[in-house]
Amino acid sequence: MNPAAPPAADLSVAGLILNADPVVQGVMALLLLASFACWAIIIEKSLLLGRLAREAQGLAALAAAGAVVPPEGDAARDSLSAAVLRAGLPEWREGRDTAESAGEFRDRLERSMRAAVTATLRRAEPGLPLLATIGSVSPFVGLFGTVWGIMHSFFGIAARQDTGLATVAPGIAEALFATAIGLVAAIPAVIAYNRFATRLARIRQEAIGAVSALASRLARRPAIAGAARRSAEAPA
């Protein structure tokens, strides 16, 4: 009577995870957590950069129209256009001193509004370093799981004194599965980081161009003598 055949190894995804070595399971869990974090950042940044792109276009439209009134509404008060105008209008209302050239007045306006653009766009930067880290580190974490899984397979071979496929295959499969999860986490992170960094740079370029145009329009206001301004601001 032939001896019963050994049970076939479970090579399904669930089986590879549940039957893996605890170290490899920890690597898989870490990579899956990194993948979830990556997609959460991708969704959040896609929405945020889409809104900032529309606000940069609105700022360019305001600059082209020469408008100097901040947008109305609760949402608009937190927009890029509102932040830029809140930074530039106090300087514009103060006016240009006779000792200040039109170019210097324009540069002063532009500097204040550029600072507002920088502060607003800085809100889109958190999360991007994490994407870069996930994209660069995940393959190496997966490789560590692969090496450990292969070592585990060799330990099994030595313990059973058997080099058959049934002995080697499960350990090799779980090792390669760890590599696959590392790539699943890394590839979207690298693509998203490059895309978001490029898109943010374009939004910044468009906003800075609109700020320059708006500063040029505002600087055409006639000069106000410093003595006259100080006397007007003095209490009666």
Side-chain angles (χ1 to χ4, degrees), residues 10 44 60 76 107 110 113 171 180 227 229:
D10 186 3
E44 190 265 338
D107 291 341
E110 187 171 344
M113 291 188 288
R229 183 171 64 247

Side-chain angles (χ1 to χ4, degrees), residues 147-170:
V147 172
W148 190 274
I150 293 175
M151 290 172 56
H152 187 254
S153 296
F154 284 133
F155 293 153
I157 292 173
R160 298 180 187 180
Q161 298 294 319
D162 182 11
T163 58
L165 187 61
T167 302
V168 178

Side-chain angles (χ1 to χ4, degrees), residues 8-41:
D10 186 3
L11 298 180
S12 65
V13 172
L16 291 175
I17 295 175
L18 295 176
N19 298 325
D21 181 82
V23 174
V24 179
Q25 286 181 336
V27 169
M28 291 180 181
L30 181 62
L31 291 173
L32 287 174
L33 181 62
S35 181
F36 291 146
C38 171
W39 282 105
I41 294 172

